[in-house]
Amino acid sequence: MNQLIITVCLLILSNFFMTFAWYGHLRFLHNQTWIIAVFISWGIALFEYLLQVPANRIGFQVATAGQLNIIQEVISLSVLIPFSVFILKEPFKTDFIWAGLCLLGAVFFMFRDKIFV
């Protein structure tokens, strides 16, 4: 399988764990003390790192660190928006669309050497 596809798949899975580690406690542990939320979040984040580190090692063979970071940012926003709307019950805002368009611009600039070969 293509190394970039493997990287993206691992980063998507990693991002689910990251989003729950960073923001899940706001919904599910809001009655707990912050230190409990920290330790639970660290436990969840371990799974994020178990996927993130191999993803970046595989991806670095075919992409630059900047390109990997932009891929990660696009995935982060793509996971965070549904999480915010469906889990945290925040309203959908057009700002999400504008942020996504800005990231698409970043993707273009980071990958333009591969686009215009």
Side-chain angles (χ1 to χ4, degrees):
M1 189 183 292
N2 184 323
Q3 289 175 315
L4 198 55
I5 292 171
I6 293 169
T7 298
V8 169
C9 290
L10 288 172
L11 288 175
I12 290 169
L13 291 172
S14 162
N15 237 281
F16 284 114
F17 287 107
M18 178 195 74
T19 302
F20 269 95
W22 286 11
Y23 304 106
H25 62 89
L26 299 173
R27 165 91 168 153
F28 301 110
L29 299 172
H30 61 277
N31 291 330
Q32 300 292 324
T33 62
W34 69 269
I35 195 72
I36 300 292
V38 165
F39 284 113
I40 290 173
S41 292
W42 278 352
I44 295 169
L46 171 65
F47 295 101
E48 173 207 350
Y49 279 94
L50 289 174
L51 296 166
Q52 176 87 11
V53 171
N56 284 328
R57 285 176 162 250
I58 293 167
F60 195 61
Q61 297 173 24
V62 293
T64 66
Q67 290 169 335
L68 289 170
N69 187 264
I70 290 301
I71 292 169
Q72 174 64 33
E73 295 302 330
V74 170
I75 293 169
S76 287
L77 189 62
S78 300
V79 171
L80 180 65
I81 291 171
F83 184 87
S84 296
V85 172
F86 295 113
I87 304 295
L88 298 179
K89 307 296 185 198
E90 294 182 350
F92 182 84
K93 297 166 50 173
T94 54
D95 290 344
F96 293 146
I97 295 169
W98 298 121
L101 289 173
C102 288
L103 281 176
L104 287 178
V107 168
F108 171 77
F109 286 111
M110 291 305 292
F111 285 91
R112 68 181 167 169
D113 63 328
K114 293 183 188 281
I115 295 170
F116 299 115
V117 175

